[in-house]
Amino acid sequence: MSTLTIPPVIPSPREDAKNLNKAFRGIGCDTSTVINILAHRNSDQIELIQQEYDNKYDALRKRISSELHGHFRKAVCLWLREPTARDANVLKHALRGAVTDYKAASDVICSRTPAQLRRLNQVYLSQCGARLQYDIENQTHGDLKKLLLAYLNITRYEGPEIDAVSVEADAKAIHKGADSKLFIHIFTERSRAHMSALISVYSGLYGTPLEQTIKKETPASLKHALLTILRFVDNPAMYFARVLRKAMNRIGTDDSALIWVIITRAEIDMQYIKAEYRKKYGKTLNEAVYSETSGNYRAFLLSLLGTNC
């Protein structure tokens, strides 16, 4: 469920573009107007605003980049992209940055469905000028490379049916002492329904959570990606709540992770993420974001998060 609040009477895209252009004129940018418009429009509405602005004035993303600064600019520029292009942009920076961000690459790829990944492949090629597989091949290595490529390319069944015998066989194979090859095979080829059943069956057979076994038995290079797949299958909202908590509960906020999750989930399931965050950590996500951010950056993220609940 989205946290995006859209006014009951929405100005036309032409009117929004006109007001944005006014906000950019003169000395200093009227950031309140920018936030009031862009943080309260969905991706389809923003696309229409961009078309109007680009046709009449200049490229909106280019103007935003010149007028805004820091994390505020980064968040707004990512928000201006269509949903799949947001993931592609995060992956481009993770894989082509000065330092490869293996965690961010794993977070994006391993928390997406096969249908979303097929679309992501297409958008990444169009937006970044290279196949996503090519960048993974060149910027990652070892078992992580094998897992990401397999997870990206294998067509997994997306239906609810499972084979109970196969689920139990996977549980026994893992308990017997799975190597990296077997973990990659199971975690990249099984459906979400199968993996959900595996979590339950493994715990029932051996009295130990599968997550705990992964933490103990898998190499460091694979651990984060495997846990991402498992946690997303088990409870997507809790998975993202944990990512947000880790981004803010540290010395120096991980703004890249904070921006990525809020921007990409605000239109999808942020209401559920907020509920899980409050239940797990005893404070609202809005309160946490307020304490870890400031200025226009804070105002923009809080606008996307909606009411403090």
Side-chain angles (χ1 to χ4, degrees):
M1 187 175 175
S2 171
T3 53
L4 198 61
T5 55
I6 298 174
V9 179
I10 307 170
S12 69
R14 180 169 297 179
E15 185 69 18
D16 278 341
K18 180 181 177 181
N19 288 330
L20 283 171
N21 189 55
K22 286 181 181 178
F24 298 139
R25 290 178 181 174
I27 300 174
C29 174
D30 180 1
T31 54
S32 294
T33 295
V34 173
I35 294 171
N36 287 337
I37 294 174
L38 296 181
H40 298 285
R41 304 289 187 272
N42 63 32
S43 56
D44 291 336
Q45 292 160 349
I46 287 175
E47 183 177 358
L48 293 175
I49 293 169
Q50 287 194 87
Q51 290 174 6
E52 289 286 346
Y53 194 96
D54 293 357
N55 289 335
K56 188 165 185 179
Y57 305 107
D58 195 359
L60 180 57
R61 280 212 298 266
K62 181 180 178 181
R63 191 63 186 266
I64 289 286
S65 293
S66 67
E67 295 287 345
L68 309 185
H69 306 283
H71 299 309
F72 179 39
R73 175 174 61 189
K74 183 177 180 180
V76 174
C77 284
L78 191 61
W79 181 246
L80 289 177
R81 297 178 183 274
E82 62 95 8
T84 306
R86 294 167 186 165
D87 282 344
N89 185 261
V90 172
L91 281 171
K92 181 181 74 171
H93 289 289
L95 294 170
R96 296 184 182 180
V99 177
T100 304
D101 190 342
Y102 302 108
K103 179 180 176 295
S106 299
D107 282 341
V108 175
I109 292 171
C110 296
S111 64
R112 298 299 183 254
T113 67
Q116 289 171 332
L117 290 173
R118 288 192 290 273
R119 172 66 178 154
L120 179 57
N121 272 324
Q122 297 169 351
V123 172
Y124 193 91
L125 176 60
S126 173
Q127 180 174 299
C128 305
R131 296 170 66 245
L132 179 53
Q133 292 90 332
Y134 176 85
D135 281 351
I136 292 172
E137 281 275 6
N138 285 276
Q139 301 301 329
T140 63
H141 51 80
D143 289 333
L144 178 61
K145 177 196 289 188
K146 294 175 184 177
L147 183 143
L148 292 180
L149 288 174
Y151 202 78
L152 192 65
N153 294 322
I154 290 174
T155 302
R156 289 174 294 282
Y157 176 64
E158 296 186 65
E161 298 84 7
I162 62 167
D163 180 346
V165 174
S166 176
V167 171
E168 185 170 332
D170 283 347
K172 290 178 177 178
I174 291 172
H175 185 71
K176 185 177 179 180
D179 57 14
S180 296
K181 184 177 180 180
L182 182 61
F183 270 115
I184 293 171
H185 171 69
I186 291 173
F187 277 64
T188 61
E189 296 191 16
R190 305 300 191 246
S191 70
R192 181 174 174 181
H194 180 107
M195 293 300 297
S196 181
L198 179 59
I199 292 169
S200 177
V201 169
Y202 189 91
S203 178
L205 285 175
Y206 304 112
T208 301
L210 180 54
E211 179 173 327
Q212 185 175 323
T213 298
I214 292 171
K215 288 179 179 178
K216 287 183 178 180
E217 303 297 333
T218 58
S221 60
L222 272 182
K223 193 168 300 184
H224 180 77
L226 293 175
L227 288 173
T228 296
I229 294 169
L230 198 69
R231 289 168 177 169
F232 186 76
V233 162
D234 190 39
N235 186 337
M238 176 55 73
Y239 162 74
F240 286 114
R242 293 178 70 159
V243 173
L244 289 167
R245 174 69 171 181
K246 287 183 179 179
M248 294 183 283
N249 191 31
R250 48 177 283 169
I251 299 174
T253 302
D254 182 352
D255 291 286
S256 293
L258 183 62
I259 290 168
W260 168 65
V261 175
I262 293 177
I263 295 298
T264 60
R265 308 311 295 189
E267 291 185 86
I268 302 172
D269 56 359
M270 184 54 73
Q271 204 71 265
Y272 301 119
I273 295 169
K274 288 171 65 175
E276 292 288 355
Y277 192 97
R278 183 168 190 169
K279 182 169 65 176
K280 175 78 172 175
Y281 302 113
K283 66 188 296 188
T284 68
L285 179 57
N286 293 55
E287 290 167 347
V289 170
Y290 185 91
S291 67
E292 295 297 325
T293 58
S294 62
N296 294 313
Y297 174 44
R298 171 199 283 165
F300 183 67
L301 294 185
L302 290 178
S303 293
L304 294 179
L305 290 176
T307 56
N308 183 24
C309 58

